[in-house]
Amino acid sequence: MRIKDIKLLWGRSGNRCAICKIELSPDGSAETIGEIAYIVSRTKEGPRGNDALPLAKRDDYSNLMLLCPNHHSEIDKLADSWPSSKLHQIKEDHEKWVSEQLEHGVLSFKPVDNSEYLEKIYDAWVSFSKSQIWVVASLTPLRVDDDSIDPLDDAIIETLNSIHLPGNGFRESYINKYDTRPDENGITNIRTKYLEKGDGHKILIFRNGHCEFLFCLEGSINSITEYAKNREPDKIGSSRIIKYTYLALVITKQLETLKIIWTKCLQFKNMTLTITILNTRNSMLYSRERDPRGALYGYPVQTDRLQYCFIVDRYSELDHLIDIILKRFVNYFGLVLHNILDHNGKFVRPEKL
Ligand SMILES: [Zn+2]
């Protein structure tokens, strides 16, 4: 789902269920939690899914409506009693009702908007990264309020301490729990003492529910860049090389981690997922270790950051998200998809490359 569609939906719905008009809370901390429902299901098999609407258009604003959990499950369980024509009419009437109420000052609501907060967070990452290439994955509540969670809760600390790191040479390692400590934002696990060798990470769970996993790619970049320059100096020039397999492994691990934190520690129904690679200017993506046609590189990136950001549902399938994100980054780096797809068009995961 696109961010502008979600904001539009919450705004035009006036923070209310389109059917019963109960007030909803996007942060999920209250009893009622707003849920974004599909008028026509995302899949052909789902409720009202057997429809002419193309699958690619099903995440659009025009196919979404905001409901309370009760009505969401009702329209999906009793799909025959809630055909899409009826739902479109309900949505239209509800939005009209909201705008009338707002005009008369009867209704007011806090807008759902975390974009200002995300800008601030981004500035903090930039200064933390000190011109090195880091990958950052984060989840942010749609409405950012302080004290959404207690970061010193035992369950949260335990979850944080159980995290695996994407180790070098694809070895897994747990984070060191002695690096876990409270700070001004919430609770963090940070290890930067090997940064001169290019290794470091920072994982943070904020009091407001925002969580982030920063991982330094420099160690891997240094060794692969050295290797590539020796082999193909003309092609590489002054660029720095990011290995696709390693990037894919790091992003996969980060997303698995965030999903665990979300499931175990946070109640939000929807959150903004952001994947950012910092300090990317003049870096290239190297797609495979060995390829019969020789090494495959993209083109040197001309911007300081590559970012992909969208809203996800807590029940979104992780594999599907990882596919979307990795494809997008391969595209950002100027590689074509056959570099990472097998002959069946299926995504090649890091362990198979
Ligand atoms: Zn309702």
Side-chain angles (χ1 to χ4, degrees), residues 16-22 24 66-72:
R16 309 271 165 158
C17 170
I19 296 174
C20 65
K21 314 263 187 274
I22 194 174
L24 306 164
L66 189 68
L67 295 174
C68 69
N70 292 338
H71 280 112
H72 189 185

Side-chain angles (χ1 to χ4, degrees), residues 30 66 68-69 86 92 102 104 106 110 116 172 180 196 285:
L66 189 68
C68 69
K86 183 172 169 183
E92 194 187 314
L102 285 171
H104 297 115
V106 184
K110 277 205 248 171
E116 215 173 287
E172 306 220 337
T180 298
E196 63 286 6
L285 194 66

Side-chain angles (χ1 to χ4, degrees), residues 7 24 29 45 73 92 110 150 162 218 247 250 265 305 338:
K7 281 185 191 167
L24 306 164
S29 54
E45 300 74 38
S73 72
E92 194 187 314
K110 277 205 248 171
D150 174 9
S162 71
E218 289 285 322
L247 178 68
V250 170
C265 311
R305 78 163 144 168
H338 78 246

Side-chain angles (χ1 to χ4, degrees), residues 30-47:
E31 274 290 287
T32 56
I33 304 166
E35 298 193 353
I36 294 163
Y38 288 91
I39 295 177
V40 170
S41 168
R42 270 177 71 196
T43 60
K44 288 271 176 210
E45 300 74 38

